[in-house]
Amino acid sequence: MTRKTKIFATVALIIIAAAAVCYWQVRQFAASPLTITQEKIFTLPAGTGRVALEAQLESQHIVKPSPWFGVLLKLEPELAKFKAGTYRLDTGMNVRQLLTLLASGKEAQFPVRFTEGTRLQDVLHELRSSPWIKHTLKDDRPETVAAALKLKEGESLEGWLWPDTWLYTANTTDVALLQRAHQRMKTEVARIWQERMPDLPYKTPNDLVTMASIIEKETAVSDERTKVASVFINRLRTGMRLQTDPTVIYGMGESYNGALTRKDLETPTPYNTYTINGLPPGPIALPGKASLEAAAHPVKSNYLYFVADGKGGHTFTTNLASHNRAVQAWRMTIKEKNER
């Protein structure tokens, strides 16, 4: 072997060895853990390049400064196809997993809860307090919301949002979430309306949703919902007023201070079922599926009254005398509890 050949071979070995060391270093860097100590939400702006991404990760103390970041992206170009978005980074992730996530486009999902028994104003407040939602509604007036969702004239969202935990990605608009919940409610109500018992005293699906919202506010006991429904159905059929407190409270709006007086019960509003006949003009809260089903399938009974039993449920009765005795029993139970 000539001297020149030996030199060439030696240089080649050095280059191969250096390349092997570099490759090992890159592999080590890719497998190194992120420097975060708790879950972190990371937003990658649109148009961010490799250099800017590296600087952002280092400045936010997500990845340690390293000469191997750019080399890794060149050796594994599929990791360089990162997409703009907001991502959830876990403490157990390493650099390769981070870059794989950014390349996948699987953005973080955030929850917002629309709860059974709450009003439209409560839902809008929940949206306002959710930091990752893009707020586009200029205010929370029902007319503003109705216009944003392009509802028909006279149509309202009150009671017409499906209660659930809704997942969304960062910068999803408030209107988009409301549209999803509204469409789901319309779909479910349409199905339940078609499957309802015959001869119920409802003229429209809105009547059914209104009844379901009252049931939702009257009881949280699962096996009571169909009984509560039967009381109100029987009252509608016999021409009795519904006389349900939650409708009075809804009609009072902001003037309700937590306690109902006789004057409140006697003061007419469009929703005061102590002063109006039949159902109020619309729902008073978001009804859940169980209440919708109860409104569509009430148990057959002769019940006309119910009152709290002081134990978390209600006593159902068929006549005023029995109802009055149940009221007295409830008052005694409450008195005994207060005296303990």
Side-chain angles (χ1 to χ4, degrees):
M1 183 181 293
T2 64
R3 177 180 175 82
K4 187 175 181 179
T5 303
K6 289 180 178 180
I7 293 174
F8 179 80
T10 301
V11 170
L13 286 172
I14 292 172
I15 292 173
I16 293 172
V21 170
C22 289
Y23 182 72
W24 181 83
Q25 291 281 10
V26 170
R27 298 273 297 182
Q28 287 294 104
F29 171 70
S32 64
L34 304 185
T35 56
I36 58 177
T37 57
Q38 59 184 7
E39 180 184 273
K40 183 177 180 64
I41 301 300
F42 173 72
T43 298
L44 181 63
T48 302
R50 299 181 185 184
V51 175
L53 172 60
E54 181 179 7
Q56 193 175 355
L57 292 172
E58 290 180 5
S59 66
Q60 294 188 32
H61 307 291
I62 296 171
V63 173
K64 292 180 180 179
S66 171
W68 306 114
F69 189 89
V71 180
L72 173 61
L73 294 182
K74 289 180 180 179
L75 288 177
E76 301 184 37
E78 67 276 7
L79 297 179
K81 298 177 181 179
F82 35 83
K83 301 175 178 65
T86 298
Y87 300 87
R88 179 175 280 107
L89 308 183
D90 298 321
T91 54
M93 295 177 71
N94 59 35
V95 174
R96 175 176 281 104
Q97 290 170 330
L98 161 66
L99 294 172
T100 300
L101 175 63
L102 299 184
S104 73
K106 294 179 181 178
E107 294 189 65
Q109 298 275 320
F110 301 97
V112 61
R113 177 70 188 172
F114 296 174
T115 306
E116 295 89 338
T118 58
R119 302 180 183 181
L120 176 60
Q121 289 301 310
D122 300 317
V123 170
L124 296 175
H125 176 74
E126 192 69 26
L127 291 176
R128 291 279 181 201
S129 61
S130 300
W132 297 103
I133 289 175
K134 184 176 181 180
H135 304 289
T136 61
L137 291 168
K138 64 180 181 180
D139 58 58
D140 290 347
R141 293 185 304 158
E143 315 88 79
T144 301
V145 180
L149 269 72
K150 300 179 181 178
L151 301 184
K152 296 177 183 178
E153 185 176 353
E155 196 175 358
S156 172
L157 269 191
E158 188 71 88
W160 278 90
L161 297 169
W162 186 255
D164 203 349
T165 298
W166 294 93
L167 298 177
Y168 65 94
T169 56
N171 292 317
T172 297
T173 68
D174 43 14
V175 171
L177 279 167
L178 290 171
Q179 287 173 329
R180 285 169 58 192
H182 182 47
Q183 185 56 53
R184 175 71 184 280
M185 176 61 85
K186 289 198 298 183
T187 299
E188 294 293 336
V189 169
R191 177 187 61 78
I192 293 171
W193 177 256
Q194 290 298 321
E195 298 172 356
R196 72 190 186 281
M197 286 174 57
D199 302 322
L200 292 176
Y202 307 138
K203 295 179 181 179
T204 66
N206 193 58
D207 289 346
L208 185 145
V209 176
T210 300
M211 176 65 81
S213 72
I214 295 173
I215 296 168
E216 190 70 52
K217 296 297 290 185
E218 283 286 6
T219 183
V221 181
S222 297
D223 60 5
E224 283 192 352
R225 288 190 174 97
T226 56
K227 291 181 182 179
V228 171
S230 75
V231 169
F232 293 134
I233 293 295
N234 291 339
R235 285 187 166 225
L236 288 175
R237 283 173 171 161
T238 58
M240 291 179 65
R241 288 178 174 170
L242 298 186
Q243 296 184 323
T244 168
D245 292 356
T247 63
V248 181
I249 294 169
Y250 183 87
M252 292 174 66
E254 296 299 320
S255 65
Y256 177 64
N257 62 9
L260 281 178
T261 65
R262 179 171 293 278
K263 181 181 178 182
D264 295 330
L265 300 181
E266 294 172 349
T267 302
T269 75
Y271 287 84
N272 186 346
T273 52
Y274 283 83
T275 63
I276 66 170
N277 296 320
L279 288 164
I284 61 172
L286 271 64
K289 182 179 179 180
S291 292
L292 287 165
E293 293 286 1
H297 302 279
V299 68
K300 292 183 179 180
S301 79
N302 294 319
Y303 296 136
L304 289 172
Y305 304 89
F306 67 94
V307 66
D309 60 11
K311 302 173 184 177
H314 294 83
T315 300
F316 294 83
T317 50
T318 60
N319 58 76
L320 185 57
S322 298
H323 174 65
N324 288 336
R325 287 194 294 271
V327 170
Q328 289 299 319
W330 168 71
R331 287 174 177 166
M332 287 296 297
T333 300
I334 297 301
K335 182 180 178 181
E336 291 172 0
K337 284 185 177 180
N338 292 336
E339 290 175 350
R340 290 175 185 171

